[in-house]
Amino acid sequence: MGSHALPGAAVRRKIRPLLLALIAGVLGVVAALVAPPPAQAAESTLGAAAAQSGRYFGVAIAANRLSDSTYATIANREFNSVTAENEMKIDATQPQRGQFNFTAADRVYNWAVQNGKQVRGHTLAWHSQQPGWMQSLSGSALRQAMIDHINGVMAHYKGKIAQWDVVNEAFADGSSGARRDSNLQRTGNDWIEVAFRAARAADPSAKLCYNDYNVENWTWAKTQAMYAMVRDFKQRGVPIDCVGFQAHFNSGSPYNANFRTTLQNFAALGVDVAVTELDIQGASSTTYANVVNDCLAVSRCLGITVWGVRDSDSWRSGDTPLLFNNDGSKKPAYTAVLNALNGGSTTPPADGGTIKGAASGRCLDVPNAGTADGTQIQLYDCHTGTNQQWALTDAGELRVYGNKCLDAAGTGNGARIQIYSCWGGDNQKWRMGSNGSIVGVQSGLCLDAVGTGNGARVQLYTCSNGDNQRWTRS
């Protein structure tokens, strides 16, 4: 039979049901193709996850750190927006009157654009980080210098910057609700309005923002004063497009659940809102997730910027406030943020807390906030430092600093308890007993305090149900 000959009748009878099955299969494929698409898959980086809702997740970048490969790799991988940490401020861009210098600023800008990121401009008019020549001016001369500076910087970046922090930190701290007493304020109460009008004329395409700190809590006088200014500006046609909330949350200015109310109330005035300099003392997973969810709940929230990449890059490094540890590893707070941006695909990890001895009333402590593998654990007066914050993972690890585990250096009585880089071994896994004991999975022995005073060492020992082997987590 030639290669093009028709098959015989018997063969054709066998082909018919096969053909019908094939047609049905094709129709099934077509039906699948026209069916509604499945829900969007969770993204694996912060910027990509934020982009799903039309927002950005950005970072403050320092030009001199871009040569650090770990820093640059994280910044490029994770974020889709960049703010220059200091390079676009007044002293950096106009160190001598009338002589602009954009070398450092352009390094940050060019790196961001070459890596596909938008850029926020920070900041044009501010009482701080003024060059000496500007600090020596006052009155109409200073007012004109402010306008000239706005014109010069915005002309250089015209059409290239997504948002500008036109005016930064113009309200006083405390309960007065007054303007900050600064050389700019002393040029006349209309200086902020003048700055915004100059900025609009200089670059009509940029969003123009007012930016401040300690204005997240809706009940605070500073927040209310800023709200009144924005409302007045909108009523009178002063060109303000957005309000930036720095969100430097710490024990003196803690996160409050009414932050979402604040964002909603400003957005209702007809301005966009943004979280512009986020860092959180201790990097609480819950607080980070709350801030993200607050932004996601307000349609006019443009996005979030964290103020630095790793803790070691932070202006508040002692507070360990960022999403990455000094070595570049991700903290539990990173996962909480990513999950929130992805729509809460998993439950954010539990926050760390102290582990207090029943006999001593003192807490498990890493001496001197050390991070070296093998650092022996002690008892010490309880406080809120990160060297006493232990997070229990689903695997049974007790983690401190996000990447160090409570580690048993042996399986017998007296084995030392130390911190060590987490690696998944059973000597780093613990069971929480209903009686308050903490039992090593590998050894079956209990966490045991040898004494009750500051500096008392902690070891493994046969479980006895004594108070020196009972612990409470908070």
Side-chain angles (χ1 to χ4, degrees), residues 241-266:
D241 304 309
C242 45
V243 177
F245 299 83
Q246 293 184 16
H248 296 296
F249 293 118
N250 54 62
S251 55
S253 179
Y255 169 84
N256 188 292
N258 69 23
F259 182 39
R260 186 176 302 188
T261 299
T262 303
L263 296 176
Q264 290 169 334
N265 287 343
F266 275 87

Side-chain angles (χ1 to χ4, degrees), residues 91-438:
D91 56 352
T93 52
Q94 196 181 178
Q96 302 298 323
R97 188 169 191 179
Q99 298 178 18
F100 289 89
N101 185 337
F102 297 104
T103 302
D106 283 350
R107 185 179 179 197
V108 173
Y109 175 84
N110 291 335
W111 180 89
V113 172
Q114 288 162 8
N115 288 290
K117 306 175 194 311
Q118 71 171 44
V119 179
R120 293 191 76 255
H122 177 79
T123 178
L124 296 169
W126 189 26
H127 69 275
S128 185
Q129 288 186 240
Q130 295 178 1
W133 67 264
M134 183 175 279
Q135 294 176 38
S136 69
L137 300 178
S138 61
S140 60
L142 176 59
R143 174 68 64 88
Q144 188 60 50
M146 176 191 78
I147 296 170
D148 292 343
H149 181 78
I150 291 171
N151 288 336
V153 175
M154 294 191 80
H156 183 76
Y157 291 109
K158 187 172 183 178
K160 299 178 179 179
I161 299 289
Q163 305 166 37
W164 269 110
D165 290 334
V166 178
V167 174
N168 197 43
E169 301 175 1
F171 286 92
D173 292 319
S175 59
S176 69
R179 293 279 186 88
R180 179 188 296 274
D181 180 27
S182 69
N183 61 348
L184 292 169
Q185 178 64 28
R186 290 190 292 273
T187 69
N189 204 53
D190 64 340
W191 75 274
I192 300 176
E193 176 178 344
V194 169
F196 274 89
R197 292 193 185 279
R200 173 67 86 229
D203 187 354
S205 66
K207 286 184 181 290
L208 306 181
C209 306
Y210 175 80
N211 191 55
D212 217 326
Y213 67 95
N214 284 359
V215 288
E216 294 78 21
N217 189 318
W218 178 244
T219 67
W220 287 0
K222 190 174 180 180
T223 309
Q224 291 300 310
M226 184 174 76
Y227 179 83
M229 181 192 74
V230 174
R231 181 179 57 197
D232 172 61
F233 280 8
K234 293 300 292 183
Q235 288 173 345
R236 294 194 295 110
V238 179
I240 184 170
D241 304 309
C242 45
V243 177
F245 299 83
Q246 293 184 16
H248 296 296
F249 293 118
N250 54 62
S251 55
S253 179
Y255 169 84
N256 188 292
N258 69 23
F259 182 39
R260 186 176 302 188
T261 299
T262 303
L263 296 176
Q264 290 169 334
N265 287 343
F266 275 87
L269 293 177
V271 293
D272 294 327
V273 294
V275 179
T276 55
E277 303 182 20
L278 178 63
D279 49 28
I280 299 172
Q281 183 178 15
S284 161
S285 297
T286 300
T287 305
Y288 261 110
N290 285 341
V291 173
V292 172
N293 286 323
D294 289 342
C295 178
L296 293 175
V298 179
S299 61
R300 296 199 70 151
C301 185
L302 300 170
I304 296 170
T305 299
V306 288
W307 206 247
V309 177
R310 306 160 299 191
D311 285 338
S312 53
D313 307 311
S314 170
W315 68 301
R316 300 167 55 200
S317 57
D319 288 344
T320 59
L322 296 176
L323 299 176
F324 294 87
N325 293 300
N326 295 352
D327 63 0
S329 58
K330 299 171 182 176
K331 295 185 183 182
Y334 169 93
T335 305
V337 168
L338 185 63
N339 289 341
L341 291 169
N342 276 323
S345 54
T346 61
T347 303
D351 281 341
T354 57
I355 299 177
K356 183 185 293 187
S360 64
R362 293 187 164 89
C363 285
L364 291 187
D365 179 280
V366 185
N368 302 312
T371 59
D373 285 346
T375 301
Q376 188 166 4
I377 299 301
Q378 64 178 6
L379 291 182
Y380 208 82
D381 292 335
C382 299
H383 54 73
T384 59
T386 54
N387 62 321
Q388 289 189 1
Q389 301 298 304
W390 302 90
L392 179 65
T393 71
D394 291 341
E397 301 163 320
L398 283 166
R399 290 192 173 220
V400 66
Y401 309 131
N403 65 339
K404 299 290 183 179
C405 277
L406 193 71
D407 180 285
T411 56
N413 283 340
R416 63 185 271 138
I417 301 298
Q418 60 189 9
I419 61 168
Y420 210 87
S421 297
C422 300
W423 64 281
D426 283 348
N427 67 317
Q428 293 185 346
K429 295 178 182 177
W430 307 87
R431 290 192 300 269
M432 305 296 142
S434 58
N435 62 349
S437 63
I438 299 178

